[in-house]
């Protein structure tokens, strides 16, 4: 199959590695990709936000499937352009992508579909924000309404800090003040063809920058899958997945379909398991990063078949995706200063030594070729690399991941030391 993957991060590299590891002899293109992706796909110099250019490339090269990785091309309507020209594409159109692009839209859909979520108030002024704080209580949760790469959200018991955060975003429109939800977080991915959904295996993301869930929110500093503690709470992982499918994924997909904006792509349910039940904190319209890096290595069903079936409306004919009993963890190596002010351009060394650890793969998030030929790679962004390790249990996978990340040298880099620690005992 000829597949074009749009995007340039670790999620896209993980998708490409999974496509590569299938038996099939795929031809994989990536636009724009990164220095790590270049080792596993043909890089194409194409603006992923330019739907017409993407469609022209897909037609010219007889591409069978376009997979849209990040949210920006989705919200920009690239999937609509491709679908309009008859090109199979995995990723929702602009309207359905509002599920991620607008928190207010997501709340409205959840309300219409009867999906359990926290109470929320739209506030357009400081006075309205203050009133919402009074109504919903502390800790305060304030969200910017729009794409903010994980940085538009603040969760704090400090009212002045929460208000300052709201004031930063108010000039560009209303913010959302939410009820604080307490409990473990779960990321659950659903493939959707607009009508049928197929769940993948649950994962947990570590959103805060520092060990022990300290520091600011980030795009995600690590992840693991599966979540053994789900079985204690729900009987089995399958029972949990079935519950979320029935109560959350299917009602949302049906509501979007009924509104004439079918969701074709990856529905990412960000959940909190509160004492009162499962609640949605957010939807995303694409694979999660870094959760994808731990979910896909465990997937036994060929990914290309699932993505193509979703893109072409034939998911119902597909069996349920199957997962290995192995566990997977990923630890993100971030540049000095991430998330506030990442330092870029620094040399990365030790990648081969890290990749030599058994059960480890190095997934690239933001790497580039150096100016001088023959040199090591350089960091080009905040989250630079994902060290992914699989193993028979979490103690095993953790030992491998941390052994490997310790072999990578990048000045000033930092990572969390407690990824999957609580399940490794
Ligand atoms: P979001 O961008 O909506 O996923 O929010 C980023 C992170 O903030 C989430 O992963 C949670 O850790 C936290 N968060 C968001 N909304 C809430 C909420 N209502 N209650 C508690 N924590 C939240
Ligand atoms: N891991 C969080 C996200 O992909 O949004």
């Amino acid at each position: 199959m000829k597949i074009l993957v749009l995007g340039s991060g670790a999620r896209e590299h993980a998708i490409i590695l999974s496509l590569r590891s299938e038996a099939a002899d795929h031809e994989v293109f990536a636009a724009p990709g990164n220095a790590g992706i270049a080792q596993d796909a043909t890089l194409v110099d194409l603006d992923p936000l330019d739907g017409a250019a993407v469609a022209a490339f897909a037609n010219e090269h007889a591409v069978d499937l376009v997979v849209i990785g990040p949210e920006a091309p989705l919200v920009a309507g690239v999937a609509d352009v491709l679908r309009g020209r008859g090109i199979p594409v995995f990723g929702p159109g602009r309207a359905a992508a509002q599920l991620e692009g607008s928190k207010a839209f997501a709340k409205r859909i959840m309300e219409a579909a009867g999906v359990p979520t926290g109470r929320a108030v739209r506030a357009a002024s400081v006075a309205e924000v203050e009133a919402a704080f009074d109504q919903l209580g502390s800790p305060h949760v304030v969200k910017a309404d729009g794409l903010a790469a994980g940085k538009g959200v603040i969760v704090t018991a400090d009212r002045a800090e929460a208000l300052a955060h709201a004031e930063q975003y108010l000039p560009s429109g209303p913010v959302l003040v939410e009820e604080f939800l307490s409990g473990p977080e779960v990321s659950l991915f659903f493939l959707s063809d607009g009508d049928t959904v197929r769940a993948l295996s649950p994962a947990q993301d570590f959103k805060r920058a520092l060990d022990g869930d300290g520091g600011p929110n980030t795009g995600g500093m690590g992840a693991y899958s599966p979540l053994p503690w789900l079985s204690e709470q729900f009987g089995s992982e399958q029972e949990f997945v079935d519950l979320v499918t029935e109560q959350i994924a299917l009602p949302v997909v049906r509501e979007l379909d009924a509104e004439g904006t079918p969701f074709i792509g990856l529905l990412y349910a960000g959940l909190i398991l509160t004492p009162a039940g499962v609640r949605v904190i957010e939807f995303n319209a694409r694979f999660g990063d870094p959760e994808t890096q731990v979910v896909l290595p465990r997937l036994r069903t060929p990914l290309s078949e699932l993505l193509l079936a979703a893109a072409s409306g034939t998911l119902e004919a597909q069996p349920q995706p199957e997962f290995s009993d192995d566990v997977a963890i990923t630890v993100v190596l971030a540049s000095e200063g991430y998330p506030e002010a990442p330092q870029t351009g620094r040399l990365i060394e030790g990648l081969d030594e890290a990749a030599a650890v058994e059960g480890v793969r190095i997934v690239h998030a933001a790497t580039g070729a150096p100016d001088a030929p023959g040199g090591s790679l350089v960091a080009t962004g905040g989250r630079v690399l994902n060290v992914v390790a699989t193993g028979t249990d979490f103690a095993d996978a953790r030992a491998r991941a941390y052994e490997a990340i310790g072999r990578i040298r990048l000045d000033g880099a930092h990572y969390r030391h407690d990824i999957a620690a609580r399940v490794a005992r």
Side-chain angles (χ1 to χ4, degrees):
M1 210 190 281
K2 282 191 185 183
I3 306 169
L4 168 63
V5 178
L6 300 185
S8 63
R11 163 187 47 217
E12 289 75 27
H13 196 189
I15 290 169
I16 288 165
L17 286 171
S18 280
L19 295 172
R20 276 263 162 268
S21 70
E22 292 176 17
D25 201 9
H26 299 311
E27 191 172 351
V28 184
F29 302 98
N34 62 37
I37 292 174
Q39 296 163 15
D40 300 294
T42 305
L43 297 196
V44 183
D45 186 15
L46 201 59
D47 178 0
L49 295 175
D50 183 345
V54 174
F57 178 89
N59 279 330
E60 191 185 328
H61 293 266
V63 164
D64 300 296
L65 174 68
V66 178
V67 180
I68 303 183
E71 55 273 28
L74 298 170
V75 170
V78 171
D80 301 293
V81 176
L82 296 173
R83 227 167 260 130
R85 299 187 192 182
I87 300 165
V89 52
F90 183 82
R94 183 202 305 263
Q98 287 305 306
L99 206 55
E100 170 166 3
S102 163
K103 305 237 181 228
F105 177 86
K107 281 285 175 195
R108 184 180 72 69
I109 294 293
M110 281 190 264
E111 208 166 289
V115 164
T117 183
R119 287 178 299 149
V121 174
R122 252 164 89 89
S125 67
V126 169
E128 285 180 20
V129 171
E130 296 252 34
F133 285 172
D134 291 339
Q135 184 192 337
L136 297 172
S138 177
H140 307 294
V141 181
V142 179
K143 299 187 177 183
D145 188 27
L147 293 180
K151 290 170 207 151
V153 178
I154 196 168
V155 181
T156 176
D158 181 337
R159 188 172 172 124
E161 190 188 11
L163 194 61
H165 184 83
E167 279 180 296
Q168 185 190 330
Y169 288 99
L170 275 176
S172 39
V175 297
L176 220 60
V177 180
E178 268 187 29
E179 168 191 13
F180 174 77
L181 300 171
S182 165
E185 287 184 41
V186 176
S187 301
L188 189 54
F189 300 163
F190 295 89
L191 304 157
S192 169
D193 66 2
D195 182 43
T196 298
V197 300
R198 289 281 184 262
L200 301 184
S201 183
Q204 189 172 56
D205 179 16
F206 289 71
K207 291 251 166 70
R208 300 285 189 137
L210 307 176
D211 285 358
D213 288 333
N217 263 324
T218 70
M221 294 297 290
Y224 68 94
S225 173
L227 309 178
W229 41 269
L230 279 177
S231 303
E232 288 151 34
Q233 221 171 317
F234 293 88
S236 66
E237 173 180 312
Q238 193 57 50
E239 282 175 70
F240 170 77
V241 166
D242 289 346
L243 179 125
V244 179
T245 305
E246 291 304 321
Q247 293 189 358
I248 293 167
L250 278 174
V252 163
V253 164
R254 291 198 178 123
E255 178 63 29
L256 287 168
D257 196 34
E259 296 195 8
T261 54
F263 190 99
I264 299 163
L266 198 289
L267 177 65
Y268 165 139
L271 309 166
I272 290 195
L273 313 188
T274 77
V278 180
R279 300 281 182 273
V280 174
I281 31 170
E282 65 162 348
F283 285 118
N284 291 315
R286 37 109 194 137
F287 280 101
D289 189 350
E291 297 95 315
T292 301
Q293 288 84 299
V294 289
V295 171
L296 293 188
R298 301 185 49 240
L299 178 66
R300 288 269 169 268
T301 314
L303 179 63
S304 63
E305 288 174 19
L306 292 170
L307 299 181
L308 186 63
S312 45
T314 58
L315 212 43
E316 200 170 7
Q318 284 284 321
Q320 294 292 339
E322 282 181 26
F323 286 85
S324 94
D325 290 334
D326 278 356
V327 307
I329 98 158
T330 185
V331 183
V332 172
L333 186 77
S335 291
E336 179 174 355
Y338 177 77
E340 288 92 355
Q343 301 294 313
T344 59
R346 292 182 181 167
L347 279 184
I348 307 163
E349 286 172 311
L351 289 178
D352 289 344
E353 293 98 300
V357 177
E358 200 190 334
V360 164
R361 74 190 75 183
I362 308 296
V363 181
H364 292 236
T367 60
D371 290 338
S376 308
L377 299 182
V378 296
T380 57
R383 292 190 293 176
V384 181
L385 295 162
N386 285 225
V387 174
V388 181
T390 51
T392 50
D393 60 39
F394 283 108
D396 182 28
R398 270 173 59 78
R400 291 172 174 183
Y402 283 106
E403 167 65 27
I405 205 165
R407 296 183 182 188
I408 301 175
R409 296 179 298 282
L410 169 63
D411 269 0
H414 61 101
Y415 57 86
R416 280 184 62 159
H417 303 81
D418 59 350
I419 306 300
R422 72 169 271 225
V423 291
R425 292 188 192 103

